[in-house]
Amino acid sequence: MPTVSIGDVRLNVVEEGSGRPLLFVHGFPLDHTMWRAQIEHFANTHRVIAPDLRGFGGSDVTEGTVGMEQFADDLGALLTELEVTEPVSFCGLSMGGYIAWQFFERHRDRLGSLILCDTRAEADTEEAQSTRHGLAAKVLKEGPDFIARTMPAKLFSTRTREERPDIVDTVQAVIRSTSSAGIAAAARGMAERPDATGLLPQIDLPALLIVGEEDAISTVDEMLEIATRMPAAEFKVIEAAGHMAPLEDPAAVNSAIETFLLDNAY
Ligand code: MLT
């Protein structure tokens, strides 16, 4: 898989297809492979770019804290390195959505539209921050196995866990192979992320919000509230899916994204 140097780190990046650029930004603590069904589908019509973020997959790791601003700036630098000059459709899931808010703030001129899957706009509560710092300390001490064991209950719907253990296994394997320092740095970065709710009314770009019906992390109600506050947002619920809707029901998610991209061609 090609790597691209963006200054202090090298990022692993999948780049396939040609046409308007479509950037896929993965969630925590995963890598670009969570988008495999979207990469395969949209490479027929778009220039698909799916990086591993700093600290994840095959990309370089930086220790300490990596904020959502840093991830957003990494993606801006990546687009520069790849000589992407057209407006980009930015599709982020969960932490990828937290990064999307910062990308809008810092690189607005690069954006054509936003696709936000299973994400939140509010900052962490003090309790959530403390849980993240606890996770960061524990992963550095013990490695990521405990996350791989406990996270699927929150990531997937009941149906996915019962009927698609292969998807759960694959995600667990990705988590187990992820750098502990990378996980800790992003967990600390998420704990510090700014509240994006005040930004929502300013996001006048075409936007599609997608949420799994059983998402236990970013609920349907919470995402509907985000959509209501954004001036040009559409809202789509994926039935019987959880937080990982693009992996759990790729056909439904791809169809929603495809319709949105066709309706909002620029
Ligand atoms: C993710 O899927 O990126 C995480 O669930 C985000 C989070 O922990 O807030």
Side-chain angles (χ1 to χ4, degrees), residues 33-236:
T33 57
M34 63 149 286
W35 298 113
R36 57 186 170 275
Q38 285 70 42
I39 294 168
E40 191 185 345
H41 185 81
F42 289 101
N44 294 316
T45 50
H46 286 74
R47 179 180 180 187
V48 170
I49 301 164
D52 291 339
L53 294 166
R54 178 190 291 253
F56 296 93
S59 292
D60 287 348
V61 179
T62 46
E63 295 187 0
T65 301
V66 178
M68 303 302 107
E69 298 86 345
Q70 177 69 63
F71 286 127
D73 290 350
D74 286 352
L75 294 172
L78 175 66
L79 295 176
T80 301
E81 285 304 318
L82 295 178
E83 299 181 358
V84 175
T85 51
E86 286 174 81
V88 168
S89 293
F90 184 122
C91 179
L93 179 130
S94 200
M95 184 177 76
Y98 309 159
I99 296 166
W101 308 132
Q102 294 309 313
F103 196 87
F104 176 82
E105 283 256 74
R106 302 160 80 89
H107 305 282
R108 166 74 181 84
D109 54 327
R110 287 194 175 275
L111 279 173
S113 62
L114 278 174
I115 302 160
L116 298 154
C117 305
D118 302 277
T119 195
R120 313 187 61 211
E122 287 179 11
D124 276 1
T125 60
E126 273 182 33
E127 189 187 347
Q129 287 178 324
S130 150
T131 302
R132 291 206 200 271
H133 287 296
L135 179 140
K138 190 167 155 104
V139 77
L140 289 174
K141 202 165 150 213
E142 294 179 14
D145 187 61
F146 75 96
I147 304 174
R149 278 187 282 107
T150 53
M151 221 167 158
K154 284 189 276 175
L155 291 182
F156 298 106
S157 69
T158 313
R159 185 172 86 177
T160 304
R161 276 180 284 135
E162 283 173 6
E163 296 180 8
R164 295 298 310 274
D166 55 312
I167 295 180
V168 178
D169 289 351
T170 307
V171 162
Q172 286 181 308
V174 169
I175 297 173
R176 285 195 176 99
S177 68
T178 301
S179 148
S180 294
I183 292 176
R188 294 188 188 113
M190 286 193 287
E192 286 180 8
R193 75 188 189 279
D195 189 307
T197 47
L199 195 65
L200 301 177
Q202 299 167 42
I203 305 181
D204 52 356
L205 294 162
L208 171 65
L209 273 71
I210 295 176
V211 62
E213 185 181 24
E214 289 182 37
D215 190 333
I217 297 173
S218 37
T219 63
V220 170
D221 285 352
E222 188 170 357
M223 284 209 73
L224 182 58
E225 177 70 22
I226 297 173
T228 309
R229 291 189 191 198
M230 292 170 73
E234 296 170 33
F235 184 66
K236 175 80 183 163

